[in-house]
Amino acid sequence: MQGYDKYAYEPFAVTVDLAVLTLRAGALHVLLVERGQEPYAGHWALPGGFLLPEESAERAARRELAEETGLADVSGLHLEQLRTYSEPDRDPRMRVVSVAFTALLPEPPEPRGGGDAAQARWLPYGSAGPLAFDHDRILADAHDRIGAQLENSCVATAFCPPEFTLGELQQVYETVWGTALDRPNFRRKVLATPGFVEPVPGAARLTGGRGKPAALYRAGTATTLHPPLLRPSREGRPA
Amino acid sequence: MQGYDKYAYEPFAVTVDLAVLTLRAGALHVLLVERGQEPYAGHWALPGGFLLPEESAERAARRELAEETGLADVSGLHLEQLRTYSEPDRDPRMRVVSVAFTALLPEPPEPRGGGDAAQARWLPYGSAGPLAFDHDRILADAHDRIGAQLENSCVATAFCPPEFTLGELQQVYETVWGTALDRPNFRRKVLATPGFVEPVPGAARLTGGRGKPAALYRAGTATTLHPPLLRPSREGRPA
DNA sequence: CGACTAATAGTCGATACGACTATAAAGAGC
DNA sequence: GCTCTTTATAGTCGTATCGACTATTAGTCG
């Protein structure tokens, strides 16, 4: 920062890229757009775009999120900066520095058709061949980050609708981590953490279909999870 | 990213800012440079500078780190991207997007006088009044991040020389967290975590001064800490 | 009605953790 | 030399937490 006066500097194009994740039918899905032009024509890419002159990266990301999902109100959605990708050759045409974000959505709406060319679609995580540019790496980093955050924070509720059952919350963990969890133990842990979830007062119950109806909960006020909810059998614990 | 062809874009200046932390005499210190020119003339600022045309942010950060510390070999130092700051008004002169990094150093060398104007110095954390630009916030974010990482990773060894005692390692935790830890329990926890530290084979011992000589350890190969080493009395656990 | 399904309740043993006491090995001061 | 202080290391004990498991409840489906 202090080098201003001594060194010349090069201007760069700055963009935001969004890894928008959601759960559809018990599987992790990603919002992707199909590229119509070279390079990477026909490949899928993460949605994103350039920063406007008077816009922070956070604001640009939220604007792009609204544009791509077609949602009227994105102000309550969970959006978080992931990291910045700045390899000189990450775009063959020019030097582009990109600030990547992760967004978590409940109940995904069908993405609107977009203006014209690029159509956005929900695709199952990992099903869209190699993505354009370095977007495979960005998406993998986003997945890693979310998985780690489920352990120490309460973001899992960001994947759920305003009222949800503990079974739905558990599915978030199982889907993102790719492991099955013991239901009674998960329940005990979540309810023992103050502020993680709070029961919906009116003995409200939701019947998803078969089985005993489950109690409904809302997201609590807590953001951090102490002690953390560790995923099973990560490297290091052999037996 | 795919918006290229549809939208115009504005070029931005891109810089890196470094929050370089170390321990000197049991206190957390930060590497700061004094600004000679407006704005913020006379204030302290984080070291940093512009990206060169063919340089990634990581490379620029490592180059700046070498320049500011005067160290010949910075290849082994712990350097990690923190986040990117892009508020439109964060620099009054122009639009600057800055990628911030945190660096952890053992045994800090006296910073070299630098080229000419800006002199770099180690100052105790929190002692340098308000910093220039948004550097107070960047530094606070870096401190938060390091504190959290001590819980789940083995980065604490990055603050220590190649061979260190468990007492020194514990001091890293106590200094960054600002809390005292029970020595036998800390020892039990560290030694029970495979790959965190490994003993120096030759019954090597170091006498720092008074007291029984301590065994020496080296950093192990593990990077993540499972289960984590939680700091005491964080919010949420009342009694 | 019975089979099935999913939610909820509860038990039990292993383990990790916080608090604490005890011992060992050095230097400082007398 | 002897004691006091300092720091490292060893070990104990009770509690909270966690993983695995069983049992019960309340619905739907055939």
Side-chain angles (χ1 to χ4, degrees), chain A residues 73-149:
Chain A
D73 181 22
V74 294
S75 59
L77 297 184
H78 183 91
L79 187 67
E80 192 172 333
Q81 198 183 119
L82 176 62
R83 57 159 290 181
T84 294
Y85 298 84
S86 59
E87 304 302 317
D89 57 350
R90 59 182 296 276
D91 187 310
R93 290 164 297 180
M94 59 188 300
R95 187 70 199 274
V96 178
V97 171
S98 184
V99 187
F101 289 79
T102 57
L104 308 185
L105 264 68
E107 315 236 336
E110 267 309 319
R112 67 166 192 179
D116 31 29
Q119 60 162 343
R121 284 185 54 189
W122 292 107
L123 292 184
Y125 180 86
S127 74
L131 302 182
F133 307 107
D134 53 357
H135 291 187
D136 275 312
R137 173 158 182 231
I138 297 178
L139 185 54
D141 288 349
H143 186 245
D144 285 353
R145 172 80 71 95
I146 299 296
Q149 286 200 333

Side-chain angles (χ1 to χ4, degrees), chain B residues 57 75 82 111 131 232:
Chain B
S75 59
L82 176 61
L131 302 183

Side-chain angles (χ1 to χ4, degrees), chain B residues 21-158:
Chain B
L21 299 175
T22 195
L23 261 64
R24 303 182 96 197
L28 193 64
H29 281 65
V30 194
L31 187 66
L32 294 174
V33 296
E34 190 167 13
R35 286 187 55 82
Q37 312 184 11
E38 291 296 338
Y40 298 101
H43 286 236
W44 295 95
L46 299 178
F50 290 94
L51 260 70
L52 299 180
E54 293 299 324
E55 202 180 39
S56 70
E58 282 70 20
R59 270 199 34 178
R62 206 166 282 280
R63 172 177 55 78
E64 291 286 345
L65 181 60
E67 290 178 7
E68 302 287 353
T69 62
L71 282 173
D73 180 23
V74 293
S75 59
L77 297 183
H78 183 91
L79 189 67
E80 192 172 334
Q81 199 182 118
L82 176 61
R83 56 160 292 183
T84 294
Y85 298 84
S86 60
E87 304 302 318
D89 57 351
R90 58 182 296 276
D91 187 311
R93 290 164 297 180
M94 59 187 300
R95 187 68 199 273
V96 178
V97 171
S98 183
V99 187
F101 288 79
T102 57
L104 308 185
L105 263 69
E107 315 235 336
E110 267 308 320
R112 67 168 192 178
D116 31 29
Q119 62 163 341
R121 285 185 54 188
W122 293 107
L123 293 183
Y125 180 86
S127 74
L131 302 183
F133 307 108
D134 52 358
H135 291 187
D136 276 311
R137 175 162 178 225
I138 296 177
L139 185 54
D141 287 349
H143 186 247
D144 285 353
R145 172 81 71 95
I146 299 295
Q149 286 201 330
L150 289 186
E151 290 189 328
N152 314 15
S153 80
C154 302
V155 279
T157 55

Side-chain angles (χ1 to χ4, degrees), chain A residues 14 52 56 61 68 75 150 158 162-163 165 205-206 211:
Chain A
V14 178
L52 298 180
S56 71
E68 302 287 352
S75 59
L150 288 187
E163 300 191 344
T165 69
R205 289 168 172 272
L206 169 80

Side-chain angles (χ1 to χ4, degrees), chain B residues 12-24:
Chain B
F12 297 95
V14 178
T15 63
V16 292
D17 283 323
L18 272 66
V20 189
L21 299 175
T22 195
L23 261 64
R24 303 182 96 197

